[in-house]
């Protein structure tokens, strides 16, 4: 889809010329390529010089001030300069805001405190006019604005660097059913689930909603970003020519960042990602993704089901009460499925993109579920009461009152409501290609066998620039020391913070100039972020224990291949975790199953 998107940009001509002859289009393209764009890029460069020259002149400040032990031992002057750099990037516009947010995820290249400060980057971009929004939406739907919506909230829900989002209600004739829900199951397991599911449904029914979220790109944002990428590319080449700086390979990083920006500038790609996630999770109740209305989605407009839920940040701030462990485990399960089973990972998993909704599992009533018994009709999801909004109304007044919030959650738990996670903003995803996935699994196997030296050697040999690595042997020995520390706590892995280990690895990577692939780093940072969120809710979150069900599924899918190849390293990890899980089993697990009626249906 990205290739098609690029081709559209290459073939673009203004609307006034679309019916014109080829020679007129050729003249316009020549003028645009060799006159208009170079001039516009030149003026943009001058604008950026005015913004960033003061940042360059203030670099000596980083050597001033006392060191702060609680801030990665950075000087006060350095911390001030990081803040000034972030402010300047906010002033520079969309591409630089996104660049800062991307740089914040690259702790393998940049200092930890710099990444921490850059992670707070936000857009101060003004909202574009309602007139522009209406014109863009009319083109997408092919109708007059008044014929599209029953309701339209004119104030945007949010204004970002490249787009703004509105809430609206479609007219009944435009609100289509969820096409992907009717996809015929392909495997024996899916066919069995389809027959059993109506009887033992524990996850919520989804009632099609006319309410939608509409994301609209800012006008001319593509051209502005394209000019900024050209300027970034030129500076990256200059920096790369400086001796000792080539290991950073900034031109490659700018090219990767450019790909990321192009993915976000065509909203059809986000719509396609939503469909893939919905297909991957159609038989899993741990997570839910909004339904995209693909028939109305264009390059500039995304129309998707409005996600009703409470932002995860409220649970991180006030606590999850009786739902803490359940929410943390559901998030962990969803992520590990994306990583290990689907190889299709949400690459922007911060708390702002995760929400929590509640549902009430349906009681199992044979007479209601089977039409052959007593002649009762089946339950009709379209007439079922949507409990999500009711629960949210009870929680909203206590968002800033921790005690009342926890009490309300306890009441909701006693009434039988269960939480479910909603993931939004799927414009960025990570898919490990065959080489990167092989490298990831080889590294995972080396760590699983507690062979840290082998893991270190693999990282240095398969990085982007093996020749630029400093002290390969020392790096491998450090990895061995780190992994042996983990091995000594095999049966207390729940006490080990994977985030601390990965942070230490990224620090070593930065110090030894080991240039990892961007996709690989994205996966590592997603694990970091997810564990941080999970442990905020449940301090005893055990990443290894959470991986066990996924390893079982992975073993079932690839068991024959492992036996044929003679590579049993994944099997060793599986058996080891199974043994550990058995030894750590407790009566609490059984009590939870009884409490939530998970051992048998309540007939």
């Amino acid at each position: 889809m990205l290739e098609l998107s690029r081709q559209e940009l290459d073939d673009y001509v203004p609307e006034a010329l679309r019916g014109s002859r080829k020679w007129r289009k050729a003249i316009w393209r020549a003028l645009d390529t060799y006159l208009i764009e170079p001039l516009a890029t030149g003026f943009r460069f001058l604008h950026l010089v005015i913004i960033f020259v003061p940042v360059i002149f203030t670099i000596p400040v980083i050597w001033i001030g006392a060191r702060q032990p609680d801030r990665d031992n950075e000087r006060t002057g350095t911390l001030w300069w990081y803040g000034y750099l972030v402010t300047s990037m906010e002033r520079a516009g969309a591409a630089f805001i996104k660049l800062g947010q991307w740089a914040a995820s690259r702790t393998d290249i940049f200092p930890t405190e710099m990444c921490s400060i850059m992670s707070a980057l936000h857009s101060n971009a003004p909202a574009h006019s309602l007139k522009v929004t209406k014109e863009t939406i009319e083109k997408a739907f092919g109708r007059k604005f008044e014929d599209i919506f029953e309701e339209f909230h004119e104030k945007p829900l949010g204004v970002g660097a490249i787009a703004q989002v509105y809430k609206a209600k479609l007219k009944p004739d435009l609100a289509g059913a969820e096409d992907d829900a009717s996809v015929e199951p392909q495997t024996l397991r899916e066919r069995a689930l389809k027959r059993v599911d109506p009887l033992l449904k524990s996850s919520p029914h989804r009632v099609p909603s006319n309410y939608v979220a509409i994301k609209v790109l800012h006008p001319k944002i593509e051209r502005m970003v394209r000019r900024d990428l050209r300027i970034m590319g030129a500076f990256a080449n200059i920096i790369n020519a400086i001796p000792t700086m080539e290991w950073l390979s900034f031109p490659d990083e700018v090219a990767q960042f450019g790909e990321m920006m192009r993915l976000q500038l065509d909203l059809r790609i986000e719509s396609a990602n939503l469909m893939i996630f919905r297909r991957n999770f159609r038989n899993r109740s741990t997570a839910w993704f909004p339904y995209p209305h693909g028939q109305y989605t264009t390059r500039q407009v995304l129309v998707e089901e409005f996600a009703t839920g409470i932002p995860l940040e409220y649970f991180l701030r006030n606590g999850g009460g009786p739902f803490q462990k359940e929410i943390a485990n559901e998030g962990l399960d969803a992520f590990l499925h994306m990583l290990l089973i689907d190889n299709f990972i949400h690459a922007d998993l911060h708390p702002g993109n995760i929400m929590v909704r509640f549902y009430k599992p349906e009681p199992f009533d044979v007479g209601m579920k089977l039409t052959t018994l007593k002649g009762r009709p089946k339950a009709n999801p379209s007439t079922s009461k949507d409990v999500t909004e009711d629960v949210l109304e009870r929680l909203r007044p206590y968002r800033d009152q921790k005690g009342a919030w926890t009490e309300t959650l306890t009441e909701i738990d006693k009434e039988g409501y269960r939480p479910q996670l909603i993931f939004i903003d799927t414009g960025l995803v990570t898919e490990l290609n065959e080489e990167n996935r092989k490298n990831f699994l080889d590294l995972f196997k080396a760590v699983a066998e507690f062979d840290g030296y082998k893991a270190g050697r693999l990282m240095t040999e398969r990085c982007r620039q093996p020749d630029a690595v400093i002290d390969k042997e020392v790096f491998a020995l450090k990895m061995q020391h780190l992994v042996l520390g983990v091995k000594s706590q095999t049966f207390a892995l729940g006490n080990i913070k994977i985030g601390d280990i990965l942070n230490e690895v990224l620090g070593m990577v930065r110090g030894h100039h080991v240039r990892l692939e961007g996709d690989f780093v994205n996966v590592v940072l997603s694990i970091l972020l997810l564990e941080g969120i999970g442990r905020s809710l449940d301090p005893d979150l055990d990443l290894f224990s959470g991986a066990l069900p996924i390893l079982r599924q992975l073993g079932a899918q690839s068991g024959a291949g492992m036996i044929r190849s003679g590579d049993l390293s994944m099997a060793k990890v599986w058996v080891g975790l199974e043994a550990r899980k058995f030894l750590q089993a407790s009566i609490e697990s059984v009590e939870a199953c009884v409490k939530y009626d998970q051992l048998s249906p309540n007939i």
Side-chain angles (χ1 to χ4, degrees):
M1 182 169 278
L2 185 57
E3 291 301 322
L4 290 172
S5 181
R6 283 180 181 153
Q7 189 61 45
E8 279 186 11
L9 282 178
D10 292 340
D11 296 340
Y12 170 80
V13 291
E15 284 188 24
L17 291 175
R18 284 180 188 171
S20 301
R21 295 178 181 178
K22 287 184 179 179
W23 64 270
R24 288 184 177 178
K25 294 178 182 178
I27 290 173
W28 179 85
R29 287 198 181 99
L31 287 172
D32 184 63
T33 303
Y34 299 110
L35 182 63
I36 298 171
E37 277 301 303
L39 281 173
T41 304
F43 283 118
R44 175 62 175 161
F45 173 74
L46 292 175
H47 180 216
L48 293 175
V49 165
I50 294 168
I51 293 173
F52 286 108
V53 162
V55 176
I56 296 169
F57 278 119
T58 54
I59 286 177
V61 173
I62 66 176
W63 289 285
I64 298 173
R67 294 191 178 276
Q68 305 294 313
D70 59 333
R71 301 288 298 274
D72 204 32
N73 214 33
E74 296 279 18
R75 294 183 183 274
T76 52
T78 304
L79 297 173
W80 176 87
W81 188 82
Y82 290 160
Y84 184 43
L85 174 63
V86 166
T87 303
S88 300
M89 295 182 88
E90 287 177 350
R91 288 171 54 208
F96 287 88
I97 290 169
K98 290 292 182 182
L99 177 66
Q101 291 171 345
W102 169 83
S105 71
R106 297 308 303 267
T107 50
D108 60 318
I109 301 176
F110 304 108
T112 305
E113 273 303 310
M114 182 179 177
C115 293
S116 176
I117 292 171
M118 281 199 170
S119 66
L121 256 171
H122 62 278
S123 170
N124 291 319
H128 61 251
S129 69
L130 183 62
K131 180 185 176 184
V132 170
T133 293
K134 287 184 175 181
E135 289 174 354
T136 309
I137 290 173
E138 284 178 349
K139 286 180 185 176
F141 281 84
R143 289 190 182 192
K144 288 289 184 184
F145 192 80
E146 298 75 19
D147 298 332
I148 301 171
F149 304 108
E150 286 188 352
E151 299 174 24
F152 187 85
H153 298 221
E154 295 187 353
K155 184 180 179 181
L157 294 174
V159 180
I162 62 174
Q164 56 198 52
V165 181
Y166 297 88
K167 181 180 180 181
K169 185 179 183 181
L170 292 174
K171 287 190 177 289
D173 61 315
L174 291 175
E178 300 187 10
D179 314 60
D180 58 331
S182 62
V183 174
E184 278 301 311
Q186 300 298 317
T187 66
L188 180 63
R189 177 176 176 272
E190 288 180 2
R191 287 197 294 271
L193 277 173
K194 186 173 183 181
R195 285 163 175 76
V196 173
D197 196 51
L199 297 176
L200 303 176
K201 186 74 172 176
S202 60
S203 59
H205 285 306
R206 291 301 307 162
V207 180
S209 172
N210 288 10
Y211 282 98
V212 291
I214 300 180
K215 183 185 286 189
V216 183
L217 289 184
H218 295 315
K220 300 179 181 178
I221 189 70
E222 288 176 323
R223 282 184 166 246
M224 292 169 62
V225 167
R226 208 185 315 159
R227 291 164 191 160
D228 285 349
L229 289 174
R230 288 197 198 104
I231 295 168
M232 288 177 195
F235 275 101
N237 286 320
I238 293 171
I239 293 171
N240 202 55
I242 300 173
T244 74
M245 296 295 285
E246 64 273 5
W247 80 271
L248 291 168
S249 60
F250 273 138
D252 292 339
E253 297 300 335
V254 169
Q256 185 184 355
F257 171 70
E259 289 295 297
M260 183 196 80
M261 286 300 296
R262 291 182 189 98
L263 287 171
Q264 294 184 83
L265 288 170
D266 189 341
L267 296 179
R268 293 171 301 183
I269 293 173
E270 182 172 347
S271 176
N273 290 343
L274 277 172
M275 293 298 286
I276 293 171
F277 277 122
R278 286 176 65 84
R279 186 176 69 240
N280 290 345
F281 279 82
R282 65 184 180 273
N283 292 320
R284 304 169 192 157
S285 61
T286 52
W288 177 78
F289 295 83
Y291 171 69
H293 294 268
Q295 66 271 40
Y296 311 127
T297 296
T298 65
R299 176 185 286 275
Q300 289 84 21
V301 178
L302 170 66
V303 184
E304 64 179 48
E305 182 179 357
F306 186 80
T308 303
I310 293 183
L312 185 64
E313 57 194 79
Y314 289 116
F315 289 87
L316 297 177
R317 189 167 67 201
N318 300 322
F323 301 110
Q324 287 202 153
K325 287 192 175 183
E326 195 168 350
I327 293 172
N329 288 333
E330 286 199 353
L332 177 62
D333 181 82
F335 174 76
L336 290 173
H337 267 100
M338 293 180 202
L339 173 63
L340 297 174
I341 303 296
D342 304 329
N343 188 27
F344 195 78
I345 308 151
H346 193 309
D348 198 11
L349 281 176
H350 58 79
N353 284 341
I354 306 174
M355 296 193 291
V356 180
R357 64 180 292 267
F358 289 87
Y359 66 92
K360 200 166 190 177
E362 291 188 349
F364 180 46
D365 185 338
V366 175
M368 179 66 78
K369 297 292 182 180
L370 298 178
T371 54
T372 55
L373 296 179
K374 301 184 183 178
R376 293 189 192 177
K378 289 187 179 180
N380 184 0
S382 63
T383 60
S384 300
K385 187 180 180 183
D386 187 353
V387 298
T388 306
E389 190 58 44
D390 293 345
V391 174
L392 298 185
E393 285 300 320
R394 293 168 62 180
L395 285 170
R396 280 193 185 110
Y398 306 119
R399 286 178 293 188
D400 300 314
Q401 302 174 37
K402 189 172 182 178
W405 172 276
T406 304
E407 288 176 12
T408 307
L409 284 175
T410 303
E411 292 172 10
I412 290 168
D413 177 47
K414 288 177 181 176
E415 292 168 20
Y417 294 98
R418 310 292 351 122
Q420 185 183 41
L421 297 182
I422 301 172
F423 293 94
I424 59 174
D425 201 1
T426 60
L428 290 178
V429 298
T430 298
E431 290 181 272
L432 296 177
N433 61 31
E434 189 174 342
E435 182 181 352
N436 286 346
R437 187 165 173 79
K438 182 179 184 301
N439 290 343
F440 177 80
L441 290 175
D442 285 347
L443 186 61
F444 185 86
K445 290 170 186 175
V447 174
E449 294 171 332
F450 297 109
D451 190 345
Y453 183 82
K454 180 181 176 183
R457 295 297 297 182
L458 282 170
M459 290 175 72
T460 56
E461 289 167 6
R462 298 183 183 181
C463 68
R464 280 191 188 177
Q465 295 179 324
D467 296 336
V469 177
I470 299 172
D471 296 330
K472 295 181 182 180
E473 192 69 17
V474 174
F475 179 82
L477 290 171
K478 284 182 179 178
M479 283 292 295
Q480 176 71 348
H481 176 74
L482 190 65
V483 171
L484 287 176
V486 175
K487 184 179 181 181
S488 66
Q489 303 183 58
T490 305
F491 283 93
L493 290 174
N495 300 323
I496 295 176
K497 292 186 177 179
I498 304 300
D500 291 347
I501 295 171
L502 292 178
N503 266 327
E504 193 170 340
V505 170
L506 289 173
M508 289 159 49
V509 161
R510 196 165 56 242
H512 287 268
H513 294 187
V514 181
R515 288 293 292 109
L516 301 176
E517 290 292 336
D519 288 343
F520 186 89
V521 176
N522 284 342
V523 169
V524 171
L525 290 164
S526 293
I527 296 171
L528 272 172
L529 190 59
L530 186 88
E531 198 207 24
I533 292 171
R535 283 189 183 266
S536 298
L537 291 166
D538 177 15
D540 299 322
L541 181 73
D542 188 344
L543 190 70
F544 293 91
S545 181
L548 188 52
I550 288 89
L551 284 173
R552 287 173 185 151
Q553 186 176 343
L554 194 62
Q557 289 178 359
S558 55
M562 284 194 295
I563 293 169
R564 281 195 299 269
S565 65
D567 181 4
L568 299 177
S569 53
M570 292 294 280
K572 290 177 188 175
V573 129
W574 179 7
V575 171
L577 285 175
E578 289 282 9
R580 177 172 162 268
K581 184 74 172 178
F582 176 76
L583 292 172
Q584 291 182 336
S586 69
I587 194 66
E588 291 177 8
S589 301
V590 178
E591 286 176 351
C593 287
V594 173
K595 179 180 178 181
Y596 299 122
D597 204 17
Q598 293 172 340
L599 291 177
S600 63
N602 192 12
I603 302 177

